[in-house]
Amino acid sequence: MSAPAEQTSTVVIGSGLSGLAVASELSRRGIDSIVVESLECFDSGAMRTVMTDTVSLSERTELMRLLRGYAAAHQLDVRQSTVAEHLSIIGHPKLITAPVGSKKWAVQTADGVLLADHVVLTKYPQNELRRFLRSMGIAIGRDFRAALRAIGLHLVGVGELLTPTTREILRQAKLVSDAIQAQGPAVLNRISPPRAAISPLGA
């Protein structure tokens, strides 16, 4: 029996500062999203932080308070008890075999499958994402983020040696939200059918 499926424009994986910033920016553009927790990556290594003073820490704390307030006031769909377990493109035999009309990202959780045109990752090492792209036969080239963006995968605060500053996270959130708005819902249908891919978010 197929897992229950729920459709949305965008799934944001990670409900921290980066995830809430993206969800808020998408909301301001009239784009619906579902925010879920990320599956912690144990081999990604410790990231060093640039926040070495109390001003930076207090700034981030205040921004989190504002973003949580915005999410509550605008009834954003933030599911902190739901964890993304597996990521693939619709049609993967372990997920859903029934047709849905167009290609979708499928984010599997313990509560069912979320189908989306776009997925925003806020935690995951670039080497695993590169492996994921290669498993689907997608050429990466020099612009790694552009290769991901072309198939509706977006990064905010991911792949840096240092944790991005608060200002940089907000900048990335705006750029990603602009890209999602510009690309629209048919982004995955512009690529040739991929081979079944191993998920960067777990088996």
Side-chain angles (χ1 to χ4, degrees), residues 20-31 70 170 173-174 177:
L20 290 179
V22 173
S24 298
E25 289 292 338
L26 290 172
S27 172
R28 293 186 184 101
R29 291 160 174 76
I31 299 172
Y70 181 93
L170 293 177
K174 288 178 180 178
S177 299

Side-chain angles (χ1 to χ4, degrees), residues 56-126:
S56 297
L57 290 170
S58 62
E59 180 185 64
R60 185 163 290 211
T61 300
E62 175 63 13
L63 180 57
M64 277 297 293
R65 186 186 69 79
L66 293 173
L67 289 172
R68 286 179 180 136
Y70 181 93
H74 293 81
Q75 298 182 320
L76 301 189
D77 194 346
V78 180
R79 306 180 186 183
Q80 291 182 314
S81 61
T82 300
V83 176
E85 298 174 347
H86 190 98
L87 176 65
S88 188
I89 290 175
I90 191 67
H92 193 292
K94 290 184 180 178
L95 294 174
I96 300 173
T97 56
V100 293
S102 62
K103 297 186 188 76
K104 298 278 185 182
W105 284 106
V107 179
Q108 190 168 25
T109 75
D111 303 319
V113 176
L114 302 175
L115 302 179
D117 301 300
H118 300 269
V119 172
V120 179
L121 297 172
T122 64
K123 290 181 182 179
Y124 216 78
Q126 283 195 17

